[in-house]
Amino acid sequence: METTDKISRLSVTDEAMEVIWELEKKHGELMFYQAGGCCEGTQPQCFDKGGYFPRMNDAMIGTINL
């Protein structure tokens, strides 16, 4: 049987949305970055929107609309 479920590149729990909303209220628009390397930046990082400049081969995987 073939499945028609689509794999999401970006998902967020209700609890995470609450934290993001609180951070945005306090700091303004946000952006999240996660490097694909093995060492630096492999954990998700949160910045003020425009506070980090993506590198040439970075790709946006999605947006979260509050």
Side-chain angles (χ1 to χ4, degrees):
M1 174 183 274
E2 186 175 327
T3 181
T4 59
D5 293 337
K6 184 177 180 182
I7 297 172
S8 175
R9 294 183 74 186
L10 179 67
S11 62
V12 86
T13 64
D14 291 339
E15 293 83 4
M17 282 299 297
E18 290 179 24
V19 172
I20 292 168
W21 186 70
E22 289 297 322
L23 289 170
E24 188 172 78
K25 282 195 324 187
K26 185 174 182 179
H27 300 285
E29 290 187 84
L30 304 171
M31 64 177 287
F32 294 88
Y33 175 81
Q34 184 169 3
C38 67
C39 301
E40 67 180 56
T42 55
Q43 73 281 0
Q45 300 172 47
C46 179
F47 298 92
D48 293 336
K49 186 175 180 181
Y52 177 84
F53 297 99
R55 295 173 288 200
M56 184 183 304
N57 293 323
D58 289 345
M60 184 174 82
I61 61 169
T63 60
I64 300 172
N65 298 313
L66 300 175

